[in-house]
């Protein structure tokens, strides 16, 4: 299709460097076998990002973050406590989703269950870091907005944001 568009504009078509002659899957697999595992990973990733960002927002709203800083807790201690707590949630969620996927829905696994578990936990760690990055990026955006558009009451610049 791409070469047809190029030829219609009087250009030379491009040669494809890779020629796929036959697609080989494992015997007895269907498209849902590939789709269900992707849906499972996608659900785990998005739920961990949402859970991490929501946890940080709720903690900031309730004032636990400020109280911990005043009490003398270091940022690294708070970071690792959030990370370990979220990894415990990820462990429970991974075990539950693996049980539902592999036992209940009988998704075939042609590899090692141990490797699947390790890769899903690494994916969960990545999503936790993405959630933290998303939260801190949103806070920096709100801070820059408050500097660009200052409010009349400087003691409470975030009165329009319910943090």
């Amino acid at each position: 299709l791409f070469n047809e568009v190029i030829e219609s504009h009087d250009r030379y078509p491009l040669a494809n460097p890779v020629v796929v002659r036959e697609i080989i899957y494992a015997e007895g697999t269907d498209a849902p076998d590939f789709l269900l595992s992707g849906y499972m990973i996608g659900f785990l990733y998005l739920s961990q990002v949402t859970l991490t960002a929501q946890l940080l927002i709720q903690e900031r709203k309730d004032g636990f973050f400020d109280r911990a800083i005043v009490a003398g807790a270091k940022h690294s201690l708070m970071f690792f406590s959030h990370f370990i707590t979220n990894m415990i949630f990820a462990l429970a969620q991974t075990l539950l989703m693996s049980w539902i996927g592999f036992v209940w829905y009988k998704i075939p696994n042609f590899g090692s269950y141990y490797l699947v578990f390790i890769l899903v936990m690494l994916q969960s760690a990545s999503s936790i870091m993405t959630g933290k990055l998303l939260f801190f990026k949103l806070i920096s955006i709100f801070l820059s907005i408050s500097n660009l558009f200052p409010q009349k009451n400087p003691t409470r610049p975030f009165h329009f944001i319910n943090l």
Side-chain angles (χ1 to χ4, degrees), residues 1 7 17 28 63 90 148:
L1 179 67
E7 287 175 355
L148 291 174

Side-chain angles (χ1 to χ4, degrees), residues 65-129:
F65 184 82
D66 297 332
R67 283 185 249 168
I69 294 294
V70 169
K74 295 182 180 179
H75 289 283
S76 61
L77 178 67
M78 294 172 59
F79 172 78
F80 285 120
S81 68
H82 285 159
F83 184 75
I84 290 170
T85 304
N86 284 329
M87 284 303 284
I88 291 170
F89 287 133
L91 175 68
Q93 193 173 27
T94 301
L95 291 174
L96 182 65
M97 288 298 289
S98 298
W99 181 78
I100 289 172
F102 295 130
V103 176
W104 193 341
Y105 286 110
K106 297 181 177 78
I107 297 174
N109 182 19
F110 299 105
S112 168
Y113 286 105
Y114 176 72
L115 184 61
V116 169
F117 178 75
I118 293 297
L119 290 175
V120 170
M121 288 303 291
L122 288 173
Q123 184 75 20
S124 296
S126 169
S127 63
I128 291 168
M129 293 301 118

Side-chain angles (χ1 to χ4, degrees), residues 1-157:
L1 179 67
F2 184 70
N3 283 336
E4 291 174 9
V5 172
I6 289 177
E7 287 175 355
S8 68
H9 292 299
D10 296 329
R11 303 282 183 208
Y12 294 110
L14 301 172
N16 190 358
V18 178
V19 177
V20 179
R21 296 188 181 162
E22 182 180 359
I23 299 173
I24 301 173
Y25 295 115
E27 293 183 19
T29 59
D30 296 325
D33 296 338
F34 296 103
L35 294 176
L36 290 175
S37 59
Y39 288 147
M40 187 172 81
I41 291 291
F43 175 75
L44 287 171
Y45 186 83
L46 291 176
S47 65
Q48 283 297 317
V49 168
T50 306
L51 181 69
T52 302
Q54 185 61 34
L55 177 71
L56 290 171
I57 289 170
Q58 190 66 32
E59 185 175 277
R60 185 88 169 187
K61 178 182 175 185
D62 293 339
F64 294 137
F65 184 82
D66 297 332
R67 283 185 249 168
I69 294 294
V70 169
K74 295 182 180 179
H75 289 283
S76 61
L77 178 67
M78 294 172 59
F79 172 78
F80 285 120
S81 68
H82 285 159
F83 184 75
I84 290 170
T85 304
N86 284 329
M87 284 303 284
I88 291 170
F89 287 133
L91 175 68
Q93 193 173 27
T94 301
L95 291 174
L96 182 65
M97 288 298 289
S98 298
W99 181 78
I100 289 172
F102 295 130
V103 176
W104 193 341
Y105 286 110
K106 297 181 177 78
I107 297 174
N109 182 19
F110 299 105
S112 168
Y113 286 105
Y114 176 72
L115 184 61
V116 169
F117 178 75
I118 293 297
L119 290 175
V120 170
M121 288 303 291
L122 288 173
Q123 184 75 20
S124 296
S126 169
S127 63
I128 291 168
M129 293 301 118
T130 305
K132 287 186 180 294
L133 177 69
L134 178 68
F135 170 74
F136 290 120
K137 191 64 175 171
L138 288 175
I139 290 299
S140 67
I141 288 171
F142 287 140
L143 288 174
S144 64
I145 288 173
S146 68
N147 290 334
L148 291 174
F149 305 106
Q151 302 291 320
K152 291 181 181 178
N153 185 2
T155 59
R156 191 157 178 238

